């Protein structure tokens, strides 16, 4: 008996809500770019949102260019103030490092195209404030503290379907991480 190839087995897997949402955004972007006509939008979205497997999701967007994920972003501040707020595209990975700095990342109006955002933090003698969107969840279990402090005022969240999850790793030394 021959074993089934991994790529064949993967296509039979059930599609997640996040995978369907990404494909729906891909269809909407294609309409906005003029790649497909507006009258095709409803049919494509219905196919994507009713898809049960990854293969069905992929079939609905197979003739469309894949969305290009933004490159990892680095926020670096030394004896400075650094802010990102308003409407900005959040990559899947952010590298945030500061020395004697104030860093504020506001995700409330940002464009989040990934179900999980990983923040690699290196903060010394700094204050880092992360303002999370409604419904988002956060994990700081991979964060090493050395005379540092984490204040999580984000509260208990119920994680509605499609809500982003933030994972903060790295180290905080003589610094403060504020989550709201």
């Amino acid at each position: 008996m021959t074993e089934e190839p991994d790529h064949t087995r993967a296509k039979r897997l059930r599609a997640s809500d996040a995978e369907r949402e990404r494909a729906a955004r891909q269809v909407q972007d294609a309409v906005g770019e003029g790649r497909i006509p507006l009258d095709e939008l409803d049919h494509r979205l219905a196919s994507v949102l009713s898809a049960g497997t990854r293969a069905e999701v992929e079939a609905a967007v197979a003739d469309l260019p894949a969305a290009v994920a933004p490159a990892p972003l680095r926020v670096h501040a030394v004896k400075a103030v650094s802010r990102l707020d308003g409407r900005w595209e959040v990559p899947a990975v952010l590298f945030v490092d500061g020395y004697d700095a104030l860093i504020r990342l506001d995700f409330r109006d940002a464009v989040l195209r990934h179900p999980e955002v990983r923040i690699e933090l290196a903060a010394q003698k700094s204050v880092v404030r992360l303002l999370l969107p409604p419904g988002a969840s956060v994990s700081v279990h991979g964060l090493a503290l050395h005379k540092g402090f984490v204040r999580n005022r984000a509260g208990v969240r119920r994680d509605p379907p499609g809500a982003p999850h933030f994972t903060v790793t790295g180290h905080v030394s003589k610094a403060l991480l504020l989550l709201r």
Side-chain angles (χ1 to χ4, degrees):
M1 179 166 22
T2 62
E3 190 172 308
E4 183 179 36
D6 287 340
H7 69 278
T8 303
R9 189 179 17 248
K11 289 185 182 246
R12 288 186 310 149
L13 292 176
R14 303 295 297 174
S16 70
D17 288 339
E19 290 167 325
R20 283 188 283 273
E21 288 173 15
R22 271 192 301 276
R25 277 194 301 271
Q26 190 177 353
V27 169
Q28 292 168 334
D29 290 346
V31 169
E33 295 167 352
R35 295 183 189 279
I36 60 175
L38 188 58
D39 60 347
E40 197 176 316
L41 176 66
D42 289 337
H43 172 69
R44 294 266 191 146
L45 285 177
S47 295
V48 166
L49 297 176
S50 66
T53 65
R54 288 180 175 174
E56 292 169 338
V57 171
E58 290 172 11
V61 295
D63 62 338
L64 300 176
V68 178
L73 175 67
R74 181 171 179 177
V75 177
H76 177 73
V78 175
K79 297 186 180 204
V81 175
S82 181
R83 291 177 61 151
L84 279 174
D85 54 19
R87 191 156 174 83
W88 59 288
E89 183 144 355
V90 179
V93 179
L94 286 93
F95 296 98
V96 179
D97 61 283
Y99 178 82
D100 197 15
L102 296 173
I103 299 171
R104 180 177 184 238
L105 303 178
D106 190 343
F107 297 95
R108 295 175 297 182
D109 293 325
V111 177
L112 293 158
R113 299 190 191 277
H114 308 282
E116 181 174 2
V117 175
R118 188 169 47 100
I119 300 171
E120 295 285 333
L121 180 61
Q124 294 180 330
K125 298 182 181 179
S126 298
V127 176
V128 179
R129 176 171 286 155
L130 305 178
L131 301 170
L132 306 179
S137 59
V138 63
S139 170
V140 293
H141 298 298
L143 189 64
L145 298 174
H146 175 75
K147 296 183 182 179
F149 186 74
V150 175
R151 178 180 289 152
N152 186 354
R153 290 201 173 160
V156 177
R157 305 240 164 90
R158 299 230 179 247
D159 296 328
H165 177 73
F166 291 81
T167 301
V168 182
T169 60
H171 67 275
V172 172
S173 178
K174 299 180 185 176
L176 177 62
L177 172 61
L178 302 172
L179 302 162
R180 185 174 212 75

